């Protein structure tokens, strides 16, 4: 038999709720506590009998327990609870929202010291007090208890909110309103369920080595990309939504074409010249430019010293980060000449073209067409041509906004197809029909077919180019799997795809099909806005600023807006003021934590970009 659920109740009045729990058929181990001394508490109506009921059922009753100091309570030492329950907390008498907010904050900080790893914190509030969209009507933020923000201070997220079922506990008598033997308003009261958040992962510059065009190259991955480079979402046994969307797309496309997915390991690094020859259409201002490390230079000491979480950042690490920021060099580079510069791959196209050139296409094409005809009983009327496919991570040095991804998984398909079968039209019909239920539309542009969705914007392209054979077209399909996953599974934020929270991945264990709605692990996360102002006397390169914002904030900044710019006529300096919005669906982001991130940003700006904070 499983052990009973251990429940700690704090702030009890007459102990009627605890007694009702003990009468329930569920296996529970109850520890009921109150702030008052025993004599005072037992004077409340029914309290004596309720205490006896708790003790008779094997529970404990503790007096003089401060809900804001649970970690130092001697009677609770050595105990961890599956549930910590605080029903209708109140400072007493005619206290305002600020005092009750502070009570909640101190309670949350206290209760995590006695909460089991996978435990829950249950807080019941009258309708309107919590300040979440679940409250109807919803109060203005300044007039609510801001329960989500207070819980975030203790690294807790709101996982569920539901009606407080007072009818379920027939003997429960709510008391304590304004320190009187008077109940709170239970009509439309809400039960808020909080759970622990996963910790923030600290960005670090780290070194990699790859072979590029036969030469070994050591280079630094910029800190703001460090969490994206080794997650392996696309392995054959993956249940990540990015992989599920890829499988969903390929299953539909394979009804029309034979698709050969290549599994070769691809380098993250490309030479600038190689990229220019294969992808002249990609905006080079979006490249992550990389300089190779000096041979023989040992960067391990710098890497190990970068302890962002502990606010340790030595001069060696500052220097190394400055080098990494400077490696995002300006785009005025002679791509056609000889250069020592490299680029983190912004597309898989140069790599897939090199791989396709090595394949024996006619032999593979015949093999796939025969297999497709056999599978469809001889009724498959697809184009007798083969699409090569590959998928992997690509990088774009984009400004921060809600749907701008610095790293995402690209699905790239390419093939030489007969014009007479109108392959672009067939692709438009296939992808349009498949993705229309998710709000995707197709728009014909001069450079090809664009797949668009709101609010994301561009999520894919189909490009066709003529070949030396006038009867054939070279067709390339590029799809952003991350945006498609966010769209088809109704994710509120693409950053959730990179969450380390096991509750996120557990939702996809059963391999749900796209269209299955996502259940958020963190409800109604708060957002915080801070401004940063500074003087600079050098040419301002905004993308370096965005890179530092991503690093300093651990990816929690959702929007950046320039709100003021002023050039001093005498000092040859320019002042910039940016507004940053901190918001996270994946972690408990508190005002305190957001402010720490913002102070860290100011420090990095001074060190790496040599600006003067105003």
């Amino acid at each position: 038999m499983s052990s009973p659920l251990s429940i700690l109740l704090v702030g009890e009045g007459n102990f009627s709720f605890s007694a009702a729990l003990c009468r329930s058929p569920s296996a529970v181990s109850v520890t009921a506590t109150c702030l008052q001394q025993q004599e005072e508490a037992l004077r409340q109506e029914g309290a004596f009998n309720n205490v006896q009921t708790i003790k008779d059922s094997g529970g404990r009753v503790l007096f003089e327990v401060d809900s804001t100091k649970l970690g130092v309570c001697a009677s609770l030492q050595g105990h961890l609870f599956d549930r910590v329950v605080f029903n209708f907390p109140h400072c007493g008498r005619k206290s305002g929202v600020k005092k009750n907010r502070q009570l909640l904050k101190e309670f949350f900080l206290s209760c995590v010291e006695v909460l089991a790893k996978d435990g829950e914190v249950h807080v019941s509030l009258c309708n309107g007090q919590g300040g979440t969209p679940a409250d109807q009507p919803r109060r203005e933020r300044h007039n609510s208890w801001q329960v989500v923000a207070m819980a975030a201070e203790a690294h807790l997220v709101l996982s569920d909110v539901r009606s407080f079922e007072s009818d379920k506990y027939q003997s429960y008598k709510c008391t304590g309103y304004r320190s009187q033997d008077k109940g709170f308003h239970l009509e439309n009261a809400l039960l808020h369920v909080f759970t622990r958040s996963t910790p923030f992962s600290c960005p670090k510059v780290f070194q990699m080595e790859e072979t590029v065009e036969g030469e070994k190259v050591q280079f630094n991955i910029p800190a703001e990309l460090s969490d994206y480079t080794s997650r392996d979402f696309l392995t054959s046994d993956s249940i990540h939504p990015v992989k599920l969307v890829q499988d969903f797309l390929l299953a539909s496309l394979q009804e029309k074409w034979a698709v050969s997915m290549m599994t070769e390991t691809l380098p993250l690094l490309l030479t600038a010249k190689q990229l220019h020859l294969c992808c002249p259409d990609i905006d080079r201002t979006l490249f992550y430019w990389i300089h190779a490390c000096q041979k023989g230079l040992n960067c391990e000491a710098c890497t190990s010293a970068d302890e962002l979480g502990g606010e340790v950042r030595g001069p060696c690490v500052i220097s190394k980060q400055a080098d990494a920021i400077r490696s995002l060099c300006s785009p005025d580079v002679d791509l056609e000449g000889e250069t020592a510069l490299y680029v983190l791959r912004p597309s898989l196209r140069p790599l897939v073209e090199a791989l396709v050139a090595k394949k024996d296409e006619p032999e593979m094409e015949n093999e796939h067409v025969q297999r497709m005809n056999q599978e469809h009983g001889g009724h498959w009327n697809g184009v007798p041509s083969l699409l090569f496919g590959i998928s992997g991570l690509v990088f774009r040095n984009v400004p921060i906004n809600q749907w701008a991804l610095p790293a995402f998984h690209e699905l790239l398909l390419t093939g030489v197809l007969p014009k007479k079968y109108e392959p672009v039209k067939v692709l438009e019909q296939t992808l349009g029909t498949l993705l229309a239920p998710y709000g995707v539309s197709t728009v014909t542009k001069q450079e090809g077919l664009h797949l668009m969705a709101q609010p994301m914007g561009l999520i894919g392209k189909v490009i066709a180019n003529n070949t030396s054979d006038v009867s054939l077209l070279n067709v390339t399909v590029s799809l952003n799997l991350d945006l498609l996953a966010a769209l088809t599974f109704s994710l509120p934020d693409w950053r959730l795809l990179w969450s380390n929270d096991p509750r996120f991945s557990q939702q996809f264990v059963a391999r749900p099909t796209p269209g299955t709605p996502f259940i958020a692990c963190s409800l109604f996360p708060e957002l915080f806005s801070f401004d940063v102002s500074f003087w600079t006397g050098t040419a301002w390169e905004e993308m370096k600023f965005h890179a530092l914002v991503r690093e300093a904030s651990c990816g929690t900044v959702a929007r950046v807006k320039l709100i003021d710019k002023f050039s001093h006529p005498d000092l040859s300096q320019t002042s910039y003021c940016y507004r940053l919005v901190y918001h996270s669906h994946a972690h408990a982001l508190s005002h305190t934590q957001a402010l720490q991130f913002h102070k860290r940003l100011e420090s990095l700006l001074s060190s790496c970009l040599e600006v003067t904070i105003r």
Side-chain angles (χ1 to χ4, degrees):
M1 295 180 62
S2 59
S3 57
L5 202 66
S6 60
I7 303 177
L8 171 66
L9 297 105
V10 302
E12 285 289 89
N14 55 21
F15 293 97
S16 59
F17 188 85
S18 300
L21 272 182
C22 292
R23 296 189 188 99
S24 69
S26 305
V28 294
S29 173
V30 170
T31 298
T33 72
C34 73
L35 180 61
Q36 293 80 14
Q37 295 179 349
Q38 181 173 349
E39 183 180 351
E40 180 185 355
L42 293 181
R43 283 202 295 265
Q44 296 194 50
E45 182 182 351
F48 181 86
N49 291 333
N50 290 330
V51 167
Q52 197 59 46
T53 298
I54 297 168
K55 290 181 177 179
D56 290 344
S57 68
R60 291 196 303 162
V61 178
L62 304 175
F63 302 93
E64 300 181 63
V65 176
D66 189 338
S67 65
T68 66
K69 299 177 181 178
L70 298 175
V72 297
C73 177
S75 301
L76 298 178
Q77 295 295 311
H79 294 275
L80 294 177
F81 297 91
D82 301 310
R83 303 286 184 272
V84 179
V85 180
F86 201 167
N87 286 323
F88 306 102
H90 198 274
C91 285
R93 303 197 180 276
K94 231 176 174 181
S95 53
V97 292
K98 289 186 178 180
K99 286 186 177 180
N100 286 304
R101 243 182 250 151
Q102 187 65 23
L103 170 63
L104 283 178
K105 176 181 173 180
E106 293 179 4
F107 161 68
F108 284 125
L109 288 168
S110 168
C111 77
V112 293
E113 297 186 55
V114 296
L115 184 67
K117 179 182 177 182
D118 297 320
E120 297 177 356
V121 181
H122 291 201
V123 176
S124 301
L125 297 174
C126 299
N127 183 39
Q129 288 178 338
T132 73
D135 291 289
Q136 295 297 327
R138 185 181 184 183
R139 295 183 189 176
E140 293 183 3
R141 187 177 186 275
H142 72 274
N143 196 33
S144 76
W145 293 13
Q146 300 174 17
V147 65
V148 173
M150 297 305 104
E153 296 289 344
H155 308 291
L156 297 170
V157 293
L158 180 63
S159 296
D160 191 16
V161 57
R162 53 183 182 264
S163 297
F164 178 77
E165 299 175 325
S166 56
D167 295 341
K168 190 176 178 180
Y169 307 100
Q170 295 292 333
S171 59
Y172 174 48
K173 181 184 178 184
C174 179
T175 64
Y177 175 70
R178 292 186 177 177
S179 303
Q180 305 172 36
D181 189 16
K182 182 179 178 182
F184 293 89
H185 296 287
L186 298 186
E187 184 179 358
N188 298 323
L190 295 173
L191 171 64
H192 303 79
V193 180
F194 296 91
T195 55
R196 294 184 189 274
S197 169
T198 53
F200 289 99
S201 56
C202 299
K204 296 181 179 181
V205 176
F206 67 92
Q207 193 174 87
M208 294 186 66
E209 181 177 277
E210 289 190 332
T211 301
V212 182
E213 294 190 336
E215 181 181 354
K216 286 187 177 181
V217 179
Q218 290 184 344
F219 61 99
N220 290 330
I221 291 289
E224 75 271 16
L225 300 178
S226 61
D227 197 38
Y228 301 121
T229 53
S230 58
R231 300 293 289 276
D232 294 330
F233 291 162
L234 294 175
T235 57
S236 59
D237 58 346
S238 172
I239 57 169
H240 193 275
V242 166
K243 178 63 161 58
L244 298 181
V245 165
Q246 174 177 289
D247 293 344
F248 173 67
L249 291 166
L250 290 177
S252 178
L253 290 170
Q254 285 171 341
E255 294 177 3
K256 299 289 184 182
W257 289 277
V259 179
S260 173
M261 288 297 293
M262 294 176 281
T263 58
E264 286 84 348
T265 301
L266 304 176
L268 296 180
L269 216 58
L270 301 172
T271 64
K273 184 176 180 180
Q274 176 188 12
L275 188 64
H276 174 70
L277 292 175
C278 295
C279 307
D281 58 308
I282 298 180
D283 184 356
R284 51 182 167 160
T285 63
L286 304 181
F287 293 172
Y288 270 103
W289 296 94
I290 299 294
H291 286 289
C293 292
Q294 296 179 21
K295 293 184 178 180
L297 181 64
N298 186 353
C299 297
E300 292 180 4
C302 297
T303 305
S304 62
D306 190 5
E307 300 176 13
L308 269 172
E311 300 299 325
V312 176
R313 199 174 182 91
C316 185
V317 176
I318 291 290
S319 174
K320 186 180 180 186
Q321 178 59 21
D323 289 342
I325 292 295
R326 282 192 287 269
S327 75
L328 304 180
C329 65
S330 58
D332 53 350
V333 178
D334 180 14
L335 291 178
E336 297 182 1
E338 293 297 325
T339 174
L341 291 174
Y342 298 90
V343 181
L344 287 177
R345 62 190 192 204
S347 172
L348 300 177
R349 207 186 316 167
L351 299 166
V352 78
E353 289 184 8
L355 289 173
V356 169
K358 297 178 182 178
K359 302 284 184 182
D360 185 356
E361 184 170 352
E363 181 179 338
M364 292 186 66
E365 182 174 313
N366 291 332
E367 176 185 334
H368 277 75
V369 171
Q370 290 173 10
R371 176 177 59 80
M372 295 292 284
N373 277 309
Q374 290 173 358
E375 291 177 358
H376 291 263
H379 298 289
W380 178 62
N381 59 352
V383 179
S385 296
L386 172 65
L387 286 176
F388 288 102
I390 199 162
S391 57
L393 198 61
V394 296
F395 305 89
R396 301 284 175 91
N397 190 18
V398 292
I400 294 173
N401 67 53
Q402 187 176 2
W403 295 105
L405 286 61
F408 63 90
H409 297 83
E410 180 185 31
L411 172 61
L412 195 79
L413 302 166
T414 186
V416 178
L417 307 175
K419 284 184 180 179
K420 65 179 181 179
Y421 290 106
E422 299 181 292
V424 174
K425 183 178 179 181
V426 176
L427 279 167
E428 180 180 7
Q429 292 173 344
T430 303
L431 294 173
T433 302
L434 183 66
L435 298 176
Y438 309 105
V440 177
S441 59
T442 56
V443 180
T444 301
K445 300 278 187 177
Q446 182 177 1
E447 67 272 21
L449 184 70
H450 284 197
L451 280 71
M452 308 293 294
Q454 295 299 327
M456 291 97 167
L458 182 68
I459 61 171
K461 289 182 179 181
V462 179
I463 300 173
N465 294 309
N466 292 318
T467 67
S468 56
D469 187 334
V470 294
S471 66
L472 298 175
L473 278 177
N474 190 339
V475 178
T476 300
V477 181
S478 172
L479 298 172
N480 186 322
L481 292 176
D482 294 55
L483 288 181
L484 283 168
L487 184 69
T488 56
F489 287 107
S490 303
L491 301 184
D493 193 319
W494 65 268
R495 293 173 295 177
L496 279 167
L497 295 167
W498 300 91
S499 171
N500 290 308
D501 194 326
R503 290 169 294 188
F504 176 82
S505 55
Q506 284 168 5
Q507 294 195 42
F508 302 95
V509 169
R511 296 182 177 272
T513 57
T516 304
F518 169 73
I519 300 173
C521 309
S522 174
L523 301 175
F524 318 131
E526 294 272 353
L527 56 84
F528 305 97
S529 178
F530 297 105
D531 293 350
V532 60
S533 302
F534 48 84
W535 290 101
T536 178
T538 59
W540 181 239
E541 296 181 74
E542 192 170 57
M543 288 316 304
K544 296 180 182 180
F545 170 72
H546 283 267
L548 282 181
V549 171
R550 284 194 174 100
E551 179 194 352
S553 70
C554 293
T556 59
V557 170
R559 294 192 298 277
V560 174
K561 182 180 180 180
L562 177 65
I563 60 174
D564 189 45
K565 178 183 176 182
F566 169 71
S567 296
H568 198 287
D570 301 323
L571 299 180
S572 299
Q573 288 195 326
T574 302
S575 170
Y576 293 86
C577 180
Y578 287 90
R579 179 156 296 159
L580 280 59
V581 176
Y582 292 77
H583 191 215
S584 176
H585 285 271
H587 302 280
L589 180 64
S590 65
H591 181 273
T592 301
Q593 181 68 77
L595 186 57
Q596 288 178 359
F597 287 155
H598 201 68
K599 293 298 183 184
R600 182 185 297 169
L601 172 62
E602 291 179 344
S603 175
L604 286 179
L605 287 174
S606 299
S607 302
C608 298
L609 298 187
E610 300 176 355
V611 304
T612 303
I613 302 296
R614 294 179 58 188

